[in-house]
Amino acid sequence: MKKAFLAFLFFFQIGYSQNSEKFVESLIEDFTRTQYTFPDSSYYYIQKAVTIAQKRKNDTQLSNCFFYLGRYFYNQGNPVKAKHWSSKSLRIANETNNKKALALNYNLLGLIEMDRGNYSNSLQLLLKSLEIANKNNLAKNK
């Protein structure tokens, strides 16, 4: 009986882990769908996704969530918070070798620098983003 209970717990944990990963992904999709039309809702979705990714200690998803938080604040006209969250995401993306998050974050940081008038730094960041995207077949229009 004890072995059956342990087996149940093991399979429950695997199922829960997969479901929470899918749930975080669905929250990110909800964020992207609502970020321009219902920004308050999009913020709720991404905050919820961050909470779940942190509880599950899923660094890849956490990096993605932090990027979207950065994008949220960029779209809201808050470059300081946007840079904070994007930089946080970038650190985790480097640790986990998450190439897509690296490319997205360098792109966002490049846009922030462009808005600040730091064109040289902006160009370096945007080119770095493009290089990572091209090397990893992430560019959509290839």
Side-chain angles (χ1 to χ4, degrees):
M1 184 67 171
K2 189 176 182 181
K3 287 182 182 178
F5 180 70
L6 289 175
F8 168 77
L9 284 178
F10 175 74
F11 288 114
F12 176 78
Q13 179 66 25
I14 290 173
Y16 176 75
S17 177
Q18 290 173 344
N19 286 338
S20 66
E21 285 181 22
K22 288 179 183 177
F23 187 55
V24 169
E25 293 302 320
S26 73
L27 288 168
I28 289 172
E29 288 173 16
D30 290 340
F31 166 83
T32 57
R33 186 175 35 79
T34 60
Q35 66 180 325
Y36 299 110
T37 53
F38 301 104
D40 290 344
S41 295
S42 70
Y43 184 72
Y44 168 81
Y45 293 134
I46 202 61
Q47 283 292 91
K48 186 110 173 127
V50 166
T51 301
I52 295 168
Q54 285 175 327
K55 283 181 183 176
R56 300 298 306 150
K57 295 182 170 89
N58 187 325
D59 287 341
T60 299
Q61 284 190 325
L62 192 58
S63 176
N64 294 339
C65 291
F66 286 165
F67 162 74
Y68 287 110
L69 263 175
R71 192 162 96 180
Y72 169 82
F73 285 111
Y74 178 77
N75 291 336
Q76 294 300 307
N78 190 334
V80 174
K81 283 189 177 180
K83 188 172 183 176
H84 167 78
W85 289 109
S86 186
S87 296
K88 209 167 178 174
S89 173
L90 190 62
R91 280 192 296 277
I92 297 170
N94 271 316
E95 292 170 7
T96 58
N97 203 28
N98 184 345
K99 300 295 187 186
K100 183 176 179 181
L102 286 171
L104 289 170
N105 280 292
Y106 282 124
N107 183 273
L108 181 56
L109 291 168
L111 294 175
I112 293 168
E113 290 301 310
M114 186 186 311
D115 291 348
R116 290 181 165 176
N118 301 329
Y119 300 115
S120 178
N121 195 25
S122 171
L123 182 60
Q124 289 175 355
L125 291 164
L126 292 170
L127 288 173
K128 192 167 190 168
S129 171
L130 185 61
E131 179 185 351
I132 292 169
N134 285 334
K135 280 184 180 178
N136 295 282
N137 296 316
L138 299 173
K140 289 184 178 183
N141 296 325
K142 211 169 181 191

